[in-house]
Amino acid sequence: FTPPTTQKMETIKICLRKMQHHYSPLKKLENLLRVIFLAIGRHNPSDMENYDPISIESNKIKSLPPADELVRWLVYLLARTSTVGCEVEAWYMWELLPKQLLTTGDSSYYLITLFSAIDVLKNTESIRKLGQVDDSSITEDGSYCSSLGSVSPVLSSSSDAFVKVAVPDELDGSIRYHTFPGVPQMTAGKLCRVIAHQFGITNPEDHGLYLLVDGYETCLLANECPDLIRHQLKQAHKAHLFAYKRHEAKIAWPKFAVSSLS
C-alpha cells in the first residue's frame, strides 16, 4: 500500500467535493471514477481533464485491484479527505443513473464498492476486521487468491463488507475463492455479470451463482441477494458456500470449504 502523493491527494479531495456538489448523477459518477483511477490507476493528475472514465477500455478496468483492496482504498480516501455524506451521494447515483449504465457497464461494480466502503466506515468493528487476512484463501502454492485472480491478501470473511465466492477451474480441477462487495444492491444477477466480465467468460448464460448448504446446490435467481441470504444463514448458524459455475458442471466440493467459508 503506497499512499498517494500530496498533489494527488489534493486532486482527489477536489474530485470528491465536485462529486458532492454536482446535481448530475453522471457527473457524480465521473468524479468518483476519477478518484479511483487517480489513486490506483495508471493516470497522471494532468490527464484527468480530458479523461472520460465512464467509457474506459476493459483492459484498463481489469488492471484495477480486486474488490477487497478497492474497498480498503475507498475507506482510506474517504477518511483521509474528511468526505462526509457519501451514503447520500451513493444512493443519489444509484437511483438516478440510467438503468442501462448500471446493468450493462462496470459502473454498478464501482458504485457497489463505494456502498461497501461506507458500510465499513459506519462500523468500527468492520474497520478492525478490514485488516484481517483469511487463511482459507491460501492456495496450494502459498499465495492468496483475490477477486481478480491476483496475488493479494484477502480480507477475512467475517467482514460484512464482502461476499466470498468459489470459482472452480474445470481445466485443472482446482477451486479458487474470490471476494466481492457484499451489499444489498449486489444481486445474484449483477454479481454473475461482474464475475463473467472479470474472468472473460464468453458464455455467461451457461453459468450461475449457486448456494451450497446442507449438501444441496441451489441456483440463485437473478433478483436474489447473496448478502441477505448470507446474513440469514449466519443467524441460523448454517455452514454455506456461494459458488459460480457452469449449470452442467458436477463439482465435488470439499467439506472443509463449506465450513471454513461460512
Side-chain angles (χ1 to χ4, degrees):
F1 177 80
T2 304
T5 62
T6 303
Q7 180 189 3
K8 272 193 175 183
M9 187 59 75
E10 188 60 31
T11 307
I12 287 170
K13 186 175 181 178
I14 292 172
C15 287
L16 286 171
R17 296 299 179 267
K18 285 182 178 180
M19 180 189 76
Q20 292 180 306
H21 294 154
H22 266 297
Y23 287 102
S24 167
L26 285 171
K27 288 293 184 181
K28 287 180 181 290
L29 176 63
E30 183 178 323
N31 279 287
L32 171 64
L33 298 187
R34 280 198 174 113
V35 166
I36 293 173
F37 285 99
L38 269 170
I40 51 184
R42 302 291 185 268
H43 305 279
N44 297 318
S46 58
D47 299 332
M48 288 295 108
E49 290 302 321
N50 300 318
Y51 173 56
D52 181 11
I54 295 179
S55 61
I56 187 169
E57 304 95 314
S58 60
N59 64 325
K60 290 180 181 176
I61 290 172
K62 291 184 179 181
S63 69
L64 284 175
D68 46 16
E69 190 173 340
L70 186 55
V71 168
R72 276 187 285 184
W73 267 105
L74 285 173
V75 167
Y76 171 79
L77 294 174
L78 294 177
R80 186 73 174 78
T81 57
S82 301
T83 304
V84 296
C86 291
E87 189 168 14
V88 174
E89 303 299 334
W91 276 111
Y92 187 96
M93 287 184 277
W94 185 262
E95 294 295 334
L96 297 181
L97 280 169
K99 295 304 177 186
Q100 184 179 5
L101 192 63
L102 293 176
T103 55
T104 60
D106 300 281
S107 302
S108 62
Y109 178 72
Y110 298 112
L111 198 48
I112 287 169
T113 307
L114 175 62
F115 274 113
S116 293
I118 293 167
D119 285 344
V120 170
L121 286 169
K122 289 165 62 177
N123 190 328
T124 54
E125 182 66 15
S126 293
I127 295 175
R128 185 185 65 81
K129 292 177 181 177
L130 203 62
Q132 296 178 357
V133 174
D134 193 344
D135 292 337
S136 65
S137 296
I138 301 178
T139 59
E140 292 181 359
D141 60 0
S143 63
Y144 295 90
C145 191
S146 69
S147 65
L148 289 181
S150 60
V151 178
S152 170
V154 177
L155 300 184
S156 170
S157 58
S158 59
S159 175
D160 290 338
F162 303 97
V163 169
K164 188 164 292 184
V165 180
V167 182
D169 187 331
E170 296 183 66
L171 294 179
D172 61 13
S174 65
I175 300 174
R176 293 180 176 271
Y177 304 94
H178 308 270
T179 52
F180 296 92
V183 289
Q185 293 80 6
M186 180 68 91
T187 62
K190 285 190 173 72
L191 184 53
C192 284
R193 284 193 293 271
V194 168
I195 297 174
H197 172 73
Q198 291 185 349
F199 293 100
I201 294 174
T202 56
N203 55 337
E205 66 280 357
D206 295 335
H207 293 68
L209 185 67
Y210 284 77
L211 172 66
L212 281 67
V213 62
D214 292 335
Y216 294 96
E217 291 183 6
T218 304
C219 185
L220 299 183
L221 300 176
N223 61 348
E224 290 189 275
C225 178
D227 184 61
L228 178 60
I229 294 172
R230 176 184 59 166
H231 282 296
Q232 291 172 342
L233 290 172
K234 279 188 175 182
Q235 289 178 351
H237 302 289
K238 282 199 170 186
H240 61 280
L241 172 67
F242 291 105
Y244 179 82
K245 70 178 189 71
R246 278 194 315 112
H247 296 304
E248 301 300 324
K250 305 298 181 183
I251 308 296
W253 301 104
K255 291 183 179 179
F256 77 88
V258 178
S259 59
S260 64
L261 292 176
S262 59

